[in-house]
Amino acid sequence: KTVSRNQLGEAPAFERVNEQGEFKRGAIAEGREQYNLLTYGKVVAITRQAIINDDTSAFTRVPRMFGIQAANLESDLVWSQIVGNPTMGDNVALFHADHGNLGTAAAIAVDSIAAGREAMRLQKGLDARTILNLSPRFLIAPVAAQTKAEQLLTSITPAQTANAVPESIRRLELISEPRLDGGFVNPATGATVTGSRFHWFLAADPAMIDLVELGYLDGQQGVYTETRTGFDVDGVEVKVRLDVGAKALDWRGFWKNPATAL
C-alpha cells in the first residue's frame, strides 16, 4: 500500500495580545509525500556437484554477495531520487526555480558554494514566512569533480586573503558518488537515470530537515533469505527478498548546481 509521510510545518507566528485582548487561534501548515514499497528478489540454484567441488568456499560467500547487491539496490533507489529529479507532492520537480534550490550553472568554487549556502539559509517553511536558516553539511560531487572538491575543502592558508577558503566551506563533508557521473537503472521503474559529470549538490544535516527516506516493510528491515533443498535435482536453491522504497521528502534541504564544466 501507499506510504504517506505527512510534514508538519512551523507553529503559527506569535501575535501581540493587548491588555484584556483575546488570544487568536492559529494553524499549522501541512505537506505530504507518498511512495510505495516494492519487492525485489532473486533465486539462485547451487548444484550438489558444485557444493562438493567448492574448493574455494564460494558457497559460503553467497550471503555476503547478496548483501552487496542489496546495498547497491538501496543506493540506486536513493540516488534515483536525487539524480532523477522526481515530482514532489506539490507537483513541482525536486530541483526547480519555484523551490529556490536550483542555482546558475557554475563549477565547484567558493563563490558558487556561497550562492548555494545563501539560498539554503533563506529557505522558508511551509507557512511561506518562517526562515529556516538551513546550512549545508554535505557537498555532493560526481567522481569527475572529486579531486577539485577535495582541493577546495583542504585548501591551506593562502598568501592573499582574497584567495582564502572560508572555514565554513572547508568543514563541508564531501560525498563523491559515481552514480552522478553517468546513467544507471532505477530499480523501481526500470528506466535509466541519466546523471552528469558536472552537476553537483549541497545537502543539509538530516537531523535538521528530512532529506530522503529509505523505507522497509515493518519487521523485515534488510534482506530476507531462505533456502530449499532440491528433490528432483540434487542441490540447494537460495531465495532472497527485499521490500524497500525510497522517497525525497523535502526539497528545502537540497540545492543543485547544473554546472556545464568542471
Side-chain angles (χ1 to χ4, degrees):
K1 64 180 182 180
T2 301
V3 179
S4 296
R5 285 291 177 260
N6 295 322
Q7 297 171 292
L8 284 180
E10 297 67 37
F14 292 166
E15 293 186 37
R16 178 178 174 179
V17 181
N18 296 321
E19 185 177 358
Q20 297 183 349
E22 295 183 356
F23 286 84
K24 297 181 180 179
R25 295 187 179 274
I28 297 177
E30 291 186 68
R32 184 172 67 171
E33 298 293 335
Q34 295 181 316
Y35 69 101
N36 294 87
L37 299 183
L38 298 176
T39 299
Y40 305 88
K42 190 72 73 174
V43 174
V44 295
I46 304 174
T47 66
R48 175 173 174 267
Q49 286 78 6
I51 295 174
I52 293 174
N53 296 327
D54 182 19
D55 296 330
T56 59
S57 302
F59 180 59
T60 62
R61 297 201 302 271
V62 169
R64 182 176 66 86
M65 293 162 61
F66 274 128
I68 293 174
Q69 286 299 330
N72 285 330
L73 169 67
E74 293 170 350
S75 293
D76 287 340
L77 290 171
V78 170
W79 288 108
S80 292
Q81 289 294 302
I82 298 174
V83 181
N85 201 22
T87 300
M88 303 295 286
D90 60 352
N91 292 320
V92 178
L94 171 61
F95 297 106
H96 194 279
D98 291 351
H99 284 161
N101 64 354
L102 186 61
T104 302
I108 296 175
V110 171
D111 290 343
S112 54
I113 292 178
R117 178 176 61 183
E118 178 182 358
M120 292 181 67
R121 295 194 65 183
L122 294 177
Q123 285 281 13
K124 294 183 179 180
L126 295 179
D127 61 2
R129 176 177 178 176
T130 302
I131 298 176
L132 298 181
N133 194 23
L134 298 170
S135 293
R137 176 180 173 183
F138 302 101
L139 170 60
I140 304 173
V143 173
Q146 178 179 357
T147 299
K148 184 174 182 179
E150 289 173 338
Q151 289 174 333
L152 182 69
L153 299 184
T154 58
S155 176
I156 60 175
T157 304
Q160 297 181 353
T161 303
N163 297 327
V165 177
E167 183 181 354
S168 58
I169 291 180
R170 288 189 279 113
R171 285 201 304 263
L172 290 174
E173 298 179 35
L174 176 62
I175 298 176
S176 180
E177 173 54 49
R179 289 175 179 82
L180 270 61
D181 293 71
F184 65 99
V185 176
N186 180 353
T189 63
T192 298
V193 181
T194 304
S196 168
R197 63 194 304 266
F198 305 127
H199 297 178
W200 54 277
F201 307 80
L202 294 176
D205 189 332
M208 301 301 297
I209 190 169
D210 292 329
L211 297 177
V212 178
E213 178 174 271
L214 185 66
Y216 300 93
L217 186 65
D218 188 23
Q220 292 191 20
Q221 182 170 340
V223 179
Y224 173 82
T225 305
E226 60 180 325
T227 60
R228 182 179 70 176
T229 302
F231 184 80
D232 295 328
V233 178
D234 281 340
V236 176
E237 290 182 323
V238 181
K239 182 175 75 174
V240 294
R241 183 177 66 237
L242 179 63
D243 299 298
V244 65
K247 183 67 176 72
L249 297 183
D250 201 318
W251 63 84
R252 292 163 298 183
F254 290 107
W255 186 82
K256 176 181 179 179
N257 191 294
T260 57
L262 297 177

